[in-house]
Amino acid sequence: MTRMSRARVARRIAAGAAYGGGGIGLAGAAAVGLLLAEVQMAKRQVGNGTSGRVPVADGRYGTAYTVPDEPPLRLTMLGDSTAAGQGVHRAGQTPGALLASGLAAVAERQVTLHNVALPGATSDDLDRQVALVLADPTRVPDVCVIMIGANDVTHHLPATRSVRHLSAAVRRLRTAGAEVVVGTCPDLGTVEQVQQPLRWLARRASRQLAAAQTIGTVEQGGRTVSLGDLLGPEFEANPRELFGPDHYHPSTEGYATAAMAVLPTVCAALGLWPADEERPDVSRREGFLPVARAAAEAASEPGTEVTAAMPTGPRGPWALLKRRKRRRVHEPAPEPRSAPSARATP
């Protein structure tokens, strides 16, 4: 599928989400039904994780930084097993811990991490998760990171419904005063147990949803980062290194790759990234595009950020597409202070 075709499909899905439609499929009902069966078989073959426990990384990071009269920044993770960190054994190896440590280092300020992500969740669980996050109006997060979408594809959740729930979650969090960064649907076409032609269909469905998620998020004032490389080209080239022991969830290095793709956008949302990095860099093919076209571009290029730019333009709303420079993390984040070691997977 060309990027222009993907942009058209993403616009249709986002419009259906906004106006209550629900009949637009991702890659055709029969094809997605076959994809669902094969991915579920793959998950049964690998056990969907080497254990049913997910490390709990909640706690305070960057405790070496002391800023008088400034409370710690609040970072909250929402979403599915990717956001929770299923597949690793230590709290410091989860994406939340890596993001909290990276944010603390950039801000030179302590960061408190709270994770409400649920392994196995689809986007319709975001309503519940947001309610948990906003239960105490005196403790609204400074920034929320949402990673969601893979289970929507494998559970055949209609794309319009998926985007509707995500858009509502972003809107509620932004209205409460939190910045929001969404890691869009990863590329399921590289799960080893999924064979052709379903691998191609998985990739197509994943990218269609990622593009539609981008439109819905940007329209509500959030930013997105393409997580195609979470299960994408880097994983396809190095599956033994970047997939975990279950060959389905990312490994420690895989989560670090994803976290470091998201970190610059989290910092930029909080005004912590260098000012010269905020200007489009033509040499990196950055610039202003109609939001649907930017969404399609991002879905095809892992690590690409999309944020709102202009509410109206010649072809509707416009967005800024950026390919931020990333740094690699080779050491796991330090363990949070006074955090439990693991929680049971529901």
Side-chain angles (χ1 to χ4, degrees):
M1 174 178 287
T2 67
R3 293 179 184 179
M4 291 305 296
S5 297
R6 188 175 300 119
R8 286 193 293 270
V9 171
R11 277 197 300 267
R12 290 173 56 211
I13 293 172
Y19 295 106
I24 301 174
L26 287 171
V32 175
L34 289 172
L35 171 62
L36 169 62
E38 185 143 338
V39 171
Q40 294 298 336
M41 184 179 298
K43 292 170 76 172
R44 285 195 298 270
Q45 289 174 355
V46 301
N48 199 17
T50 53
S51 74
R53 301 180 68 81
V54 178
V56 174
D58 288 21
R60 188 170 295 187
Y61 294 78
T63 54
Y65 300 108
T66 302
V67 181
D69 302 321
E70 286 195 13
L73 290 169
R74 296 192 183 106
L75 166 65
T76 297
M77 302 290 294
L78 304 90
D80 54 24
S81 58
T82 301
Q86 187 170 3
V88 296
H89 302 290
R90 295 177 51 200
Q93 298 170 334
T94 63
L98 293 166
L99 283 170
S101 294
L103 179 58
V106 173
E108 296 186 342
R109 185 173 166 186
Q110 295 181 22
V111 174
T112 299
L113 172 66
H114 181 43
N115 198 323
V116 298
L118 177 67
T122 53
S123 292
D124 52 10
D125 189 57
L126 289 175
D127 297 346
R128 180 192 65 83
Q129 294 184 28
V130 171
L132 291 175
V133 173
L134 300 180
D136 184 351
T138 67
R139 297 183 62 82
V140 174
D142 294 290
V143 61
C144 295
V145 175
I146 303 173
M147 296 181 177
I148 198 84
N151 295 319
D152 295 28
V153 175
T154 62
H155 288 72
H156 198 191
L157 187 71
T160 49
R161 181 177 166 189
S162 173
V163 174
R164 188 180 307 130
H165 282 290
L166 176 60
S167 298
V170 174
R171 180 170 59 252
R172 290 173 64 190
L173 293 169
R174 292 290 293 131
T175 300
E179 298 291 340
V180 180
V181 176
V182 174
T184 55
C185 182
D187 185 351
L188 293 175
T190 51
V191 175
E192 289 185 289
Q193 286 76 15
V194 176
Q195 304 299 317
Q196 295 289 15
L198 295 183
R199 179 171 292 191
W200 177 86
L201 292 172
R203 173 166 288 123
R204 180 187 177 191
S206 301
R207 290 183 176 182
Q208 284 181 1
L209 180 56
Q213 286 177 318
T214 296
I215 295 175
T217 298
V218 169
E219 287 180 344
Q220 300 303 325
R223 303 179 184 225
T224 63
V225 179
S226 169
L227 289 188
D229 65 345
L230 185 62
L231 297 173
E234 292 183 63
F235 288 72
E236 193 169 34
N238 303 289
R240 295 294 179 266
E241 178 183 352
L242 293 176
F243 276 118
D246 63 5
H247 306 298
Y248 188 82
H249 292 95
S251 66
T252 302
E253 181 66 20
Y255 277 128
T257 300
M260 291 309 101
V262 173
L263 178 61
T265 301
V266 169
C267 293
L270 294 171
L272 298 172
W273 213 239
D276 59 351
E277 277 286 304
E278 296 308 296
R279 293 189 294 271
D281 186 338
V282 177
S283 69
R284 294 205 296 264
R285 294 179 294 116
E286 298 178 346
F288 298 96
L289 296 168
V291 65
R293 182 177 165 193
E297 292 267 354
S300 301
E301 299 183 33
T304 305
E305 174 191 319
V306 179
T307 187
M310 294 175 284
T312 59
R315 284 177 285 176
W318 281 55
L320 173 61
L321 184 144
K322 290 190 66 65
R323 298 172 175 86
R324 295 187 183 275
K325 297 176 182 176
R326 286 182 281 162
R327 66 182 182 89
R328 304 278 295 184
V329 169
H330 300 288
E331 296 296 330
E335 299 300 312
R337 190 169 64 188
S338 303
S341 59
R343 63 169 174 254
T345 303

